[in-house]
Amino acid sequence: MELNRSTLAQVPAAARPRIDTPAAGIVHLGLGAFHRAHQAVFTEDAMAAAGGDWGIVGVAPRSPEVYDAMRTQDGLFSVTTLDPAGNSTRVIGSSAGQLRAAADPDAVVALLADPKIKIVTLTVTEKGYKLDAATGRLLLDDDLRADLETGRPPQTVPGLLIRGLCARRKADAGPIALASCDNLPANGHRLRGLIDKLAAATAIGDWVRESVTFPGSMVDRIVPATTPVTLAGAAQALGVRDQAAVNGEPYSAWVIEDDFPAGRPAWEQAGAVMTSDPRPYERLKLRTLNGVHSAIAYLGAVAGRSTIASALELPGMHEVVRQYIACDVAPSFDPPSGVDTIAYGEEVLTRFENPAIEYQTVQVAMDGSQKMPQRVLQTVQDRLAAGSVPRWGALVVAAWMRFVQGVSDDGQPLPLNDPLADRIRARLAAAPSTPDGVVDALLGLDTVFTPALAEDASFRAALVEWLTAFEKHGVAATLAGAV
């Protein structure tokens, strides 16, 4: 039997949803695994604790797989917490419907204009915002331009949002909050800047300033990609099949700027931190957790390790990561009050070591051109501005440069799943295959590296030094002798 409302009686009582079918109050763009294991769980727990009509209508921008599974399952799915002390599985019932934007974008626009909808949340990854990764400026490409200048159904996330806001203004549907839950620095500020530009182009700028808020947030939970093993584990725990099942680590955090003009769930009763300024938490997480995650992913993948946990077993990996945190990350910013960045880094390493979380290195490594500026390059820039050469930050960037060459140290192909894949391959093909040639070719990616970074002689020299070591000795031997 498949998981759905009619088969819930077959599910162990302790694993059933904590709320009945909720009425819609939130639209979420992005039906990926992270949203299902994070915001959907917080929102169900908030409604279970304090009530309210905050059901989530999930919108899949393109991919039909999760959308189809959730439609078949009446919006239900399970989350298994992978704990070395023992796994636990629960069914989440905070869904109030599903839409697929690629198939029916006009339905999404109409939903955004519905006065019952008070909040829009987003997990569309860095590339979904159409922002230049290096500068944060809006990338007005052909798709987005067509969304703004033609009457066709919108095909981009910014296009959906601005069309929806135009329709909401016309319907006089009241204020709304747009809340980014993606790993972007100052994600609320960036989303506001994007919408402000589009609103000016569509003559609704004044209404947006009066009626729309953009609360920032910091989200944190390790959620590996769903595999057949994930689905088999959920079926065993539930007694029914769940094609939308996800796994996650025990740790989960959400820090949210409390700026919701039409109300919100009582997320604080589910463990979220409501604050007036989430930016210190964002920097802490992006630079420490996400930056370290990327570092381990690139180094581990090139060294032939398939998971983050196994990459951490490489001799020298722990020591190198600790040097990166202590020497480059920690001095680059002021953490939230009462938080020690190095201690936080140690907690991060403990979480990454969880053997039950089989997070694939190549999964973390994808979209590097979009992730590196926020996760690593901001740290590098701040250390250079302070007069220090970020040796360990350069190691992380060099590992990415080694990864995008497409072959591991043992000769296995490495996937380049990246929006700039064609540009990266073209620049590498046109350059000498020496460390100097590779560094110069990739520093020329002006949507990744700012001119100041690309022209910094000390940073370039550090990159060449690390790539030379990788070429001569391989990543594993380089790590073993680095500290």
Side-chain angles (χ1 to χ4, degrees):
M1 293 183 294
E2 288 188 341
L3 174 65
N4 55 49
R5 293 284 172 184
S6 67
T7 61
L8 267 180
Q10 309 299 318
V11 173
R16 295 174 195 165
R18 300 175 184 178
I19 57 172
D20 294 327
T21 308
I26 300 173
V27 169
H28 182 82
L29 301 182
L31 272 178
F34 183 80
H35 162 70
R36 303 201 306 280
H38 190 271
Q39 297 99 45
V41 177
F42 273 95
T43 301
E44 171 164 298
D45 289 348
M47 285 190 284
D53 291 330
W54 298 108
I56 302 169
V57 180
V59 178
R62 296 190 181 279
S63 177
E65 287 80 7
V66 174
Y67 164 81
D68 289 340
M70 290 188 65
R71 292 277 288 185
T72 301
Q73 297 176 186
D74 299 326
L76 300 174
F77 61 92
S78 65
V79 178
T80 296
T81 298
L82 302 176
D83 192 326
N87 297 345
S88 61
T89 303
R90 57 180 287 198
V91 176
I92 304 301
S94 54
S95 173
Q98 302 79 41
L99 291 172
R100 184 167 171 248
D104 196 356
D106 290 338
V108 180
V109 170
L111 186 63
L112 296 178
D114 188 328
K116 295 191 298 292
I117 299 302
K118 313 294 187 183
I119 300 169
V120 177
T121 54
L122 301 89
T123 51
V124 294
T125 75
E126 292 89 339
K127 59 188 174 185
Y129 292 85
K130 296 286 186 179
L131 296 174
D132 184 307
T135 67
R137 296 192 186 97
L138 185 66
L139 293 172
L140 198 60
D141 61 12
D142 290 342
D143 284 338
L144 182 52
R145 199 179 297 277
D147 283 353
L148 292 174
E149 298 175 357
T150 73
R152 73 167 196 190
Q155 297 181 12
T156 67
V157 169
L160 279 171
L161 289 173
I162 199 64
R163 291 276 192 94
L165 292 176
C166 287
R168 190 175 187 90
R169 174 180 177 269
K170 184 176 181 181
D172 194 21
I176 192 168
L178 306 187
S180 171
C181 300
D182 281 293
N183 284 316
L184 294 167
N187 52 16
H189 177 76
R190 286 179 179 238
L191 182 57
R192 177 189 292 277
L194 181 159
I195 295 298
D196 282 348
K197 288 185 176 66
L198 299 180
T202 50
I204 62 167
D206 290 342
W207 179 84
V208 166
R209 282 187 289 274
E210 294 170 357
S211 304
V212 185
T213 63
F214 301 88
S217 70
M218 184 282 288
V219 297
D220 192 1
R221 191 178 193 185
I222 297 172
V223 180
T226 294
T227 68
V229 174
T230 310
L231 303 183
Q236 182 176 8
L238 299 175
V240 295
R241 293 190 304 275
D242 176 9
Q243 297 302 310
V246 292
N247 291 341
E249 67 166 332
Y251 182 93
S252 187
W254 196 4
V255 180
I256 312 167
E257 183 180 2
D258 201 355
D259 190 11
F260 294 84
R264 60 168 177 80
W267 283 312
E268 67 275 14
Q269 294 199 35
V273 175
M274 307 305 298
T275 180
S276 62
D277 186 6
R279 289 173 296 179
Y281 296 93
E282 293 171 5
R283 285 191 293 270
L284 175 71
K285 195 247 181 175
L286 277 166
R287 298 192 185 196
T288 313
L289 185 142
N290 296 123
V292 167
H293 216 193
S294 291
I296 297 168
Y298 296 125
L299 292 163
V302 175
R305 299 301 177 101
S306 61
T307 67
I308 294 295
S310 65
L312 272 168
E313 295 173 352
L314 287 165
M317 179 70 86
H318 273 89
E319 291 76 10
V320 163
V321 169
R322 287 188 174 106
Q323 289 295 312
Y324 174 51
I325 295 170
C327 298
D328 289 338
V329 175
S332 73
F333 71 103
D334 294 324
S337 177
V339 176
D340 181 279
T341 302
I342 294 175
Y344 176 82
E346 287 296 323
E347 181 183 37
V348 163
L349 289 177
T350 300
R351 291 167 59 192
F352 289 167
E353 290 168 346
N354 185 344
I357 303 291
E358 296 185 348
Y359 216 149
Q360 301 296 303
T361 50
V362 294
Q363 180 191 357
V364 181
M366 68 185 293
D367 296 337
S369 70
Q370 310 298 295
K371 295 174 178 176
M372 288 285 288
Q374 293 84 26
R375 297 183 175 196
V376 179
L377 298 183
Q378 287 291 330
T379 295
V380 169
Q381 288 175 179
D382 286 347
R383 295 304 290 140
L384 289 170
S388 297
V389 178
R391 179 169 183 253
W392 304 103
L395 168 65
V396 181
V397 179
W400 173 75
M401 291 181 166
R402 175 68 184 81
F403 175 85
V404 300
Q405 293 176 59
V407 182
S408 68
D409 285 342
D410 59 6
Q412 297 301 308
L414 294 172
L416 182 54
N417 188 343
D418 192 288
L420 298 187
D422 290 342
R423 286 186 63 194
I424 290 169
R425 292 190 184 104
R427 294 192 70 85
L428 288 173
S433 58
T434 61
D436 288 271
V438 169
V439 168
D440 288 340
L442 296 178
L443 285 179
L445 292 166
D446 56 6
T447 58
V448 180
F449 297 96
T450 63
L453 268 183
E455 296 165 8
D456 190 286
S458 64
F459 178 53
R460 180 190 179 281
L463 292 172
V464 171
E465 180 183 352
W466 285 119
L467 278 178
T468 300
F470 295 159
E471 184 178 281
K472 287 183 178 180
H473 310 296
V475 164
T478 300
L479 288 173
V483 179

